[in-house]
Amino acid sequence: MTKKINPLVSLFRELKRRKVFEAGAFYAAGAWLLVEAVSVVVETYKGPEWIMQVLVALAFAGFPLALILSWFFKFGQRGISRDESESPDYQNTVSADAVAVPGSIAVLPFCNMGAGSDNDYFADGLTEVLIAKLAGIQSLRVISRTTIMRYRETRKSLRQVGRELQVAHIIEGSVLLSDQSVQVVVQLIDPLTDHHRWAETYTRPVQDFIALLNEIACIVSVEIGARISTAEQERLDSATPINSKALRAYLKGRHFFSKRTQPGFQAALQYFSDAIEQEADHVPSLVGMGEVFLLQGIYGSSPAKECFPQAKNYFAAALRLDDKEYAALSGMAAVKMFFEWDFVSARSIFQASIAQNPSQIIGRIGLGDLLVVVGEQKRAMEQIHTALRLDPLDVGVAMNVGDFLFFGRMYEQAIGQWEKTLGIAEHFVPAYLRLAEAYAFMGESLAAKKHIDRAMELDSGNIQVLVSAVFVSAVTGDHDKANAQLEKLHTLGAKRYVAPWVFARAYAAMCDTEKAFEWLDRSINDRHGAVIFLGVNPAFDNIRTQPGFTDFLDRIGIADGGGLLAAKTTDL
């Protein structure tokens, strides 16, 4: 269940962020000093009493004006400027009072009508593939899979779901899978009136499953008046039959991939591999293989030099078969960015991918990451907020918003965003770990420890909990504890892969420049995915001015604080 954020708490945080309290205090102190000084002058020179009366009245009248100005403007070393920063209370939780966006649609999870839950993966896969088919039509705004899956078995009315997701149309239905055929019941509904605009029942051979979903996507688009370009129509008309075993293996692979866990990744690899063995040219399975290796490299769960080249090979194979496949384009762009450090090519490919499918999430998150790296914070926030509108209940997207704020040193806003993330999924460990690190940066060691302890309660076997605990100890000045925890990580490193980036961050936080540089060197040699954020990551602020730090940035091709030093290109 989504938690409501207390509006008074939100207001208090925003007043604090915009320094309204600080402005009020300064104004009151300044006004008091001015009144006292003038009263002395008036008394000394026997001035008229009305001067003091007018001055006090003006001081009181100016107080609310000062508060209003402090809300809209910020005062700093560069003088007065308009505060255009994003509010931490950007609404990433669904709103019951939202207005439907024209051309918007949500595909609710299809119901498995078979006996038992063995075929739930097929119903989920149908939902995911149909979402992808509709998302490929640029005139539609399609809610993404992660948010949709939170409405599985919901008791909410379609009117309420439509208002929460801000959609004008809803698709729901059911699927019954047999050995050789699949029956799909699909309905297109106006959530405002609960009127069925279109409904149909199909029974097709399993190998024609993708062609059926293309047909449904085309009919739905026509029914709601969406514009379909010639290229989009050609894609919908060009479905290749797929072997039944390959289809089942692929959908099982998507099912396990969506879990975003190491066991899930391993199972997904096996199922995608099985699908490719059945259908060597099955583009979605090739993309699935690439995505697994890509995320393992980005998460640092396996060495980057093992993961990223394999991801690139699979994406390249998919693009040779279909050079317009948006997921393969986004994956290739991510490899260019995280592994090859070819930011210019990555940007171009991300943009091409988004042009193919504006409703996709991965491409927008990736482009947002790149924009943070090159110092375009405002554009980065635009991309991640667009992703959030498309997938408002995706904890990963919500967490990324906080990451971008954190890189901008907006710690209070980042904390507010990560607390909202926990409002979506209260047991989401990565959000607790990020909150712990942010509180450590703000000097609130008790709050940092509380969130580390909570993460430990939820997932004591997660190595990332120990990684964040080390960092919190380092930032808060408990270096003895940090060093003891680092020894545990060294011991674990003898049994499994522990990214050198983990040690570089900790030693930088402890101002141990020599060791931080040693582990940074290893991180860059390993081409660890996170090193691209070295120019903007607050973890390295303690050593950022040390001689030799910019050498590491030069090796990556980025500038301190964000930006590119040189345009590097490589062949796709």
Side-chain angles (χ1 to χ4, degrees):
M1 181 181 294
T2 302
K3 291 182 179 178
K4 298 284 187 181
I5 303 297
N6 189 321
L8 292 179
V9 173
S10 297
L11 176 61
F12 179 82
R13 286 193 187 130
E14 186 66 0
L15 289 170
K16 188 176 179 182
R17 181 183 76 84
R18 293 177 182 264
K19 298 183 178 180
V20 174
F21 297 128
E22 185 177 327
F26 275 116
Y27 181 90
W32 179 79
L33 289 174
L34 178 63
V35 169
E36 286 296 309
V38 172
S39 68
V40 171
V41 173
V42 170
E43 185 177 349
T44 301
Y45 292 98
K46 309 298 183 183
E49 292 184 3
W50 64 263
I51 293 179
M52 288 302 302
Q53 295 173 348
V54 170
L55 183 60
V56 171
L58 289 174
F60 276 106
F63 185 73
L65 179 61
L67 298 183
I68 293 172
L69 289 174
S70 68
W71 176 275
F72 290 104
F73 295 90
K74 56 184 177 182
F75 302 82
Q77 295 178 346
R78 299 182 183 179
I80 302 175
S81 61
R82 187 171 179 81
D83 186 351
E84 296 179 342
S85 59
E86 291 288 344
S87 166
D89 293 315
Y90 178 87
Q91 295 300 311
N92 64 295
T93 51
V94 292
S95 170
D97 299 320
V99 179
V101 177
S104 56
I105 190 166
V107 182
L108 293 185
F110 272 59
C111 178
N112 168 33
M113 299 303 290
S117 60
D118 290 348
N119 290 330
D120 282 351
Y121 78 90
F122 198 92
D124 291 348
L126 185 159
T127 306
E128 181 174 352
V129 174
L130 183 55
I131 287 172
K133 297 294 182 183
L134 290 167
I137 299 172
Q138 295 189 27
S139 60
L140 293 178
R141 172 184 172 269
V142 186
I143 301 298
S144 292
R145 176 191 185 281
T146 310
T147 289
I148 289 302
M149 288 304 174
R150 293 182 179 274
Y151 285 88
R152 183 198 302 278
E153 299 178 1
T154 182
R155 295 184 179 181
K156 295 179 179 179
S157 67
L158 291 181
R159 178 190 289 267
Q160 185 175 356
V161 172
R163 293 179 67 182
E164 288 181 352
L165 297 179
Q166 303 179 50
V167 293
H169 312 279
I170 287 178
I171 291 176
E172 66 173 4
S174 61
V175 58
L176 178 62
L177 178 67
S178 63
D179 289 341
Q180 299 299 324
S181 66
V182 57
Q183 182 183 80
V184 176
V185 177
V186 59
Q187 304 171 81
L188 175 65
I189 303 168
D190 181 338
L192 185 61
T193 63
D194 207 26
H195 172 68
H196 285 57
R197 298 192 55 174
W198 169 77
E200 190 61 80
T201 299
Y202 299 91
T203 301
R204 299 284 174 84
V206 174
Q207 61 264 28
D208 293 336
F209 175 73
I210 300 300
L212 171 59
L213 295 188
N214 283 0
E215 181 181 336
I216 292 172
C218 188
I219 292 173
V220 166
S221 299
V222 171
E223 287 290 332
I224 65 179
R227 298 183 307 277
I228 305 178
S229 69
T230 302
E232 290 167 350
Q233 187 65 60
E234 289 176 354
R235 288 180 70 85
L236 291 173
D237 291 341
S238 62
T240 303
I242 179 174
N243 178 288
S244 174
K245 292 182 179 179
L247 175 63
R248 293 168 191 261
Y250 167 69
L251 294 181
K252 286 181 180 178
R254 296 308 306 181
H255 171 75
F256 283 102
F257 177 76
S258 68
K259 295 180 182 296
R260 297 295 199 274
T261 63
Q262 282 307 308
F265 285 151
Q266 294 307 311
L269 283 176
Q270 184 58 59
Y271 281 116
F272 288 143
S273 179
D274 291 346
I276 293 170
E277 186 175 335
Q278 295 289 331
E279 295 273 355
D281 292 342
H282 188 230
V283 171
S285 293
L286 292 169
V287 172
M289 292 288 287
E291 288 178 331
V292 173
F293 285 116
L294 176 67
L295 288 189
Q296 287 183 321
I298 292 174
Y299 291 172
S301 54
S302 298
K305 290 183 177 179
E306 293 180 9
C307 297
F308 286 111
Q310 293 195 71
K312 182 176 181 179
N313 289 339
Y314 281 110
F315 291 136
L319 290 170
R320 282 194 294 270
L321 295 166
D322 182 357
D323 62 359
K324 299 293 194 298
E325 171 52 52
Y326 75 91
L329 286 170
S330 287
M332 185 62 78
V335 172
K336 293 282 185 186
M337 175 175 66
F338 284 107
F339 185 68
E340 297 179 357
W341 306 335
D342 182 356
F343 303 106
V344 174
S345 294
R347 185 171 191 159
S348 175
I349 300 170
F350 274 131
Q351 290 170 337
S353 174
I354 293 171
Q356 288 296 322
N357 186 341
S359 291
Q360 67 161 304
I361 303 302
I362 300 301
R364 292 193 180 278
I365 294 176
L367 182 57
D369 283 337
L370 189 149
L371 292 169
V372 167
V373 170
V374 302
E376 299 181 32
Q377 179 79 7
K378 185 174 181 180
R379 290 186 176 180
M381 295 304 292
E382 290 172 356
Q383 288 297 327
I384 197 65
H385 281 164
T386 298
L388 201 55
R389 285 191 290 272
L390 292 168
D391 212 344
L393 296 181
D394 186 322
V395 291
V397 178
M399 186 174 66
N400 275 116
V401 177
D403 291 345
F404 288 8
L405 293 168
F406 183 74
F407 286 146
R409 293 3 180 228
M410 292 178 278
Y411 302 131
E412 290 186 8
Q413 289 176 259
I415 286 172
Q417 178 61 37
W418 289 326
E419 287 178 344
K420 287 183 180 181
T421 304
L422 291 176
I424 299 172
E426 62 180 342
H427 295 148
F428 189 53
V429 170
Y432 283 105
L433 299 182
R434 282 165 166 77
L435 281 166
E437 294 184 8
Y439 277 119
F441 268 102
M442 294 179 65
E444 298 185 30
S445 57
L446 291 178
K449 184 178 183 301
K450 181 186 77 171
H451 286 88
I452 286 290
D453 290 344
R454 179 58 177 151
M456 187 69 72
E457 290 173 6
L458 293 170
D459 193 357
S460 60
N462 188 341
I463 190 174
Q464 291 303 318
V465 176
L466 178 56
V467 168
S468 287
V470 171
F471 188 70
V472 166
S473 298
V475 172
T476 55
D478 193 347
H479 292 178
D480 290 339
K481 186 175 183 179
N483 282 314
Q485 292 167 327
L486 283 171
E487 283 302 315
K488 290 183 180 179
L489 284 175
H490 279 294
T491 302
L492 283 173
K495 302 175 182 177
R496 53 164 294 179
Y497 179 71
V498 178
W501 179 255
V502 170
F503 299 97
R505 284 203 325 152
Y507 286 122
M510 290 190 286
C511 300
D512 189 334
T513 303
E514 182 178 353
K515 288 185 177 179
F517 279 12
E518 174 190 345
W519 288 96
L520 266 180
D521 181 65
R522 295 189 190 186
S523 298
I524 291 175
N525 287 338
D526 283 4
R527 302 190 85 83
H528 186 270
V531 299
I532 66 170
F533 298 107
L534 182 60
V536 296
N537 195 321
F540 296 92
D541 286 353
N542 287 342
I543 63 170
R544 199 171 292 281
T545 58
Q546 293 297 313
F549 183 81
T550 56
D551 294 341
F552 294 112
L553 298 173
D554 292 344
R555 289 164 63 182
I556 304 169
I558 56 178
D560 193 14
L564 298 183
L565 297 180
K568 301 191 299 180
T569 59
T570 59
D571 294 332
L572 181 61

